[in-house]
Amino acid sequence: MTSRLISRFDNGRTPLRREVTEEIKRYILDSRLRPGDPLPTENELCATLGASRSSIREAVKTLAALDIVEVRHGHGTYVGRLSLSALVEGLTFRGLLSPADDFRVLSELVDVRELVERGMADRIIASLRPEHLERLDGTVAEMEQGLREGLDVIAVDRRFHAQLLEPLPNELLGQLSSACWDVHEIVAPHLSMVSVQDQADTVAAHRAMVASLHSGDAAAFARAVHDHYAPVRRRLAAARAGGAVPAPGSHER
């Protein structure tokens, strides 16, 4: 490791923080490290890169903010989960910056979520096993019960969509869906109140999605996914057209 990194800074100058950041990333890639693997100690990185302790610390902070590394105090620095946390932060900030951006960000998130679920219909059906279908049935039943009791079922809704993608052998899809939900849950409460009818339509669409999965009908599943997001699109379109004032404390699903 040492010879490989020193060779990039063998002209005697002190590398800038950005260069240190890039070199640590290159080390992770060149060494084929995986999430959870340890990185060299701070002292080793200082000696290897010829960088100051403050430059190393700033570079590590930058990488930690991007979830590329994880600092475990008292234990050291490790390769991070490589999640989409930076994407979440950027979209959330943009969405909270102004009501108009609220509406645009949420519309884009709906597009992404629907595109993923409709586009993966065949693969979802092929990947589901009886135990997965049983969990989805239970989750929809929980949503229906919550609707009858007048409860907010957004957390159950999120769990349903996570369960939907869980059997797929594609970790990035799960991360992308989770990132969309993270942004959604922060930005959406600033939008208009969801009507009781919209909640009922949402729950019914989830039930139709599960029914189509049981029958293995990809076309019906795609239609149910479209129906699921239709109420969201109507509210967003009305809000953007009318310049609706955000209603604190409400939720948009």
Side-chain angles (χ1 to χ4, degrees):
M1 171 195 76
T2 301
S3 61
R4 179 168 64 250
L5 294 181
I6 286 181
S7 66
R8 298 178 62 80
F9 301 110
D10 56 7
N11 57 5
R13 69 179 176 84
T14 300
L16 300 175
R17 182 184 65 183
R18 182 172 181 178
E19 294 174 316
V20 175
T21 301
E22 291 302 314
E23 196 60 25
I24 294 174
K25 287 163 61 177
R26 181 175 296 276
Y27 170 76
I28 293 172
L29 294 173
D30 289 349
S31 302
R32 299 182 181 278
L33 298 182
R34 306 294 300 168
D37 288 344
L39 289 174
T41 66
E42 185 177 274
N43 288 336
E44 289 172 338
L45 288 173
C46 287
T48 298
L49 298 179
S52 67
R53 190 178 297 274
S54 61
S55 293
I56 294 294
R57 288 179 177 174
E58 288 301 314
V60 168
K61 285 181 181 178
T62 297
L63 293 171
L66 297 172
D67 209 16
I68 292 174
V69 305
E70 176 189 359
V71 178
R72 302 177 189 173
H73 296 289
H75 296 278
T77 304
Y78 298 79
V79 179
R81 295 176 296 125
L82 308 178
S83 70
L84 301 180
S85 57
L87 173 66
V88 172
E89 291 293 331
L91 287 174
T92 299
F93 183 76
R94 196 181 84 183
L96 295 176
L97 204 55
S98 73
D101 278 340
D102 271 353
F103 306 145
R104 183 167 65 251
V105 167
L106 288 175
S107 294
E108 292 169 355
L109 289 176
V110 169
D111 286 343
V112 171
R113 289 171 58 191
E114 181 174 347
L115 179 64
V116 167
E117 291 173 356
R118 293 183 65 181
M120 298 300 290
D122 288 323
R123 296 188 187 184
I124 290 172
I125 289 172
S127 300
L128 288 173
R129 298 292 177 265
E131 59 270 22
H132 298 139
L133 289 168
E134 184 177 350
R135 282 201 297 273
L136 289 168
D137 277 326
T139 302
V140 173
E142 188 175 345
M143 291 180 68
E144 291 169 337
Q145 180 64 28
L147 179 64
R148 287 193 292 271
E149 296 177 1
L151 302 177
D152 186 346
V153 295
I154 190 169
V156 187
D157 193 348
R158 176 170 184 164
R159 189 183 344 130
F160 175 92
H161 290 275
Q163 291 171 345
L164 194 63
L165 299 176
E166 182 182 330
L168 295 174
N170 189 320
E171 185 177 350
L172 180 58
L173 281 179
Q175 289 185 356
L176 181 60
S177 177
S178 180
C180 287
W181 273 101
D182 287 341
V183 178
H184 207 116
E185 290 180 353
I186 295 171
V187 178
H190 295 260
L191 296 180
S192 58
M193 187 70 70
V194 179
S195 71
V196 174
Q197 185 57 53
D198 281 344
Q199 292 185 64
D201 290 345
T202 297
V203 174
H206 282 79
R207 175 57 69 191
M209 289 165 67
V210 175
S212 64
L213 293 174
H214 274 287
S215 64
D217 189 336
F221 175 78
R223 288 194 298 271
V225 171
H226 175 77
D227 291 344
H228 165 45
Y229 291 112
V232 184
R233 293 185 188 283
R234 286 197 301 269
R235 289 193 296 276
L236 287 170
R240 296 181 72 173
V245 177
S250 62
H251 289 280
E252 175 78 56
R253 279 187 291 280

